[in-house]
Amino acid sequence: MKIRIKFFKQGDMKFIGHLDVMRYFQKAIRRADVDIRYSEGFSPHQLMSFAAPLSVGLTSNGEYVDIDVNSTGSSAEMIRRINQVSVEGIQVLSYKRLPEKAANAMSIVAAADYTLQFRPGYEPKEPEKEAAWFQEFATFLTSTSIPVSKKTKKGEREMDLAPLIYESKTYICQVPEEKQEERGAKEVPGIFLKLSAGSAANIKPELVLDAYYKSLGQDRPEFAFLIQREEVYAANYDERGQAEFVSLDDLGENIEG
């Protein structure tokens, strides 16, 4: 039976790299007594696959790991069991059964949502200038062409970001009460991005920011932004080749008790 687990990664866990997150889940699965399947051979390992590695320093509300199990309890029970042995900063949000012939999450990732805000202390001093910055950034993202040079394993290649930015819009975010004194405000502006993801064209928010600052003749200031991944999507294509994005969570179904 194939299972898809959705979890969040918050707080200090944003400094933990992908390989350590993978090792953490292997241990958490054992501690929660999940009846996970193992590979065969001389060195058996848990059948586990993550959707899309998250860059160190980013938080997320939408991370995914697929596992194969021999048997399972209900979704509610398994969420409770895994979260009981979890650490602060990682929490399972859903546990769903996938269709028997479902592809693993890593192979079907097509897009991801992100939100960006200024890190406290890096924002423009006047609130109206902060909002104006994001509006100017959003306007830049509507350009018909955004040429960039992207580093790859084989060197650098030129590419156009414009067709890979599926959606962008400014928004107002409520600051948590415990953070309001540090931020000096109850709400702050930010920007939402839906970007291409996956093996074909994986676009990170940092690359989009670099392109904007380059258009201004500047370098992106380090540590100036709080970046959070909100959701990860697969794509269904219609007869015209137009993509309809479906969250990886929606491809599974809850297991009733």
Side-chain angles (χ1 to χ4, degrees), residues 126-144:
E126 296 83 2
E128 62 274 11
K129 288 187 177 180
E130 184 176 0
W133 189 96
F134 280 108
Q135 189 57 59
E136 291 165 4
F137 182 33
T139 300
F140 167 79
L141 296 178
T142 63
S143 303
T144 55

Side-chain angles (χ1 to χ4, degrees), residues 10 19 46 108 110 120 123 128 131 144 149-150 162 197 222 240:
Q10 296 288 338
L19 290 179
Q46 295 178 359
I108 60 173
E123 70 279 3
E128 62 274 11
T144 55
S149 179
K150 184 182 179 182
E222 287 191 279
R240 297 173 298 171

Side-chain angles (χ1 to χ4, degrees), residues 3-26 28-29 48-55 58-67 78-80 82-96 105-106 109 113 228-232 247-250:
I3 300 294
R4 177 159 295 156
I5 297 172
K6 181 179 182 179
F7 64 97
F8 73 51
K9 185 182 179 188
Q10 296 288 338
D12 290 343
M13 293 304 291
K14 69 182 178 182
F15 300 115
I16 303 301
H18 175 65
L19 290 179
D20 286 323
V21 171
M22 182 174 65
R23 294 187 189 102
Y24 161 78
F25 263 94
Q26 290 170 346
I29 289 295
M48 176 182 294
S49 173
F50 286 80
L54 186 67
S55 299
L58 274 62
T59 56
S60 177
N61 286 325
E63 297 300 287
Y64 290 92
V65 55
D66 288 354
I67 62 174
M78 301 310 293
I79 291 171
R80 176 186 60 80
I82 299 173
N83 284 339
Q84 276 185 335
V85 301
S86 190
V87 296
E88 184 177 355
I90 289 183
Q91 183 174 342
V92 171
L93 302 172
S94 72
Y95 179 102
K96 294 185 175 182
M106 179 184 296
V109 170
D113 290 344
Q228 179 161 276
R229 184 150 68 189
E230 302 292 350
E231 187 55 272
V232 180
S247 77
L248 297 187
D249 193 47
D250 288 341

Side-chain angles (χ1 to χ4, degrees), residues 101-212:
K101 295 183 179 180
N104 67 49
M106 179 184 296
S107 67
I108 60 173
V109 170
D113 290 344
Y114 296 90
T115 52
L116 285 77
Q117 301 171 15
F118 276 109
R119 188 182 301 276
Y122 288 84
E123 70 279 3
K125 298 305 178 184
E126 296 83 2
E128 62 274 11
K129 288 187 177 180
E130 184 176 0
W133 189 96
F134 280 108
Q135 189 57 59
E136 291 165 4
F137 182 33
T139 300
F140 167 79
L141 296 178
T142 63
S143 303
T144 55
S145 179
I146 305 176
V148 297
S149 179
K150 184 182 179 182
K151 293 182 179 179
T152 68
K153 294 180 180 179
K154 297 181 180 180
E156 293 191 358
R157 67 184 180 96
E158 299 299 317
M159 62 184 304
D160 185 4
L161 284 183
L164 304 175
I165 301 172
Y166 300 130
E167 186 180 350
S168 61
K169 60 183 178 183
T170 58
Y171 73 101
I172 298 296
C173 177
Q174 298 297 316
V175 178
E177 190 172 344
E178 66 273 13
K179 298 281 188 179
Q180 289 178 7
E181 183 176 352
E182 175 189 8
R183 194 64 172 84
K186 293 184 178 181
E187 56 184 29
V188 294
I191 194 163
F192 166 88
L193 300 173
K194 186 185 293 292
L195 305 176
S196 173
S199 58
N202 188 45
I203 304 303
K204 296 182 178 181
E206 297 93 329
L207 183 63
V208 181
L209 284 166
D210 286 342
Y212 178 56

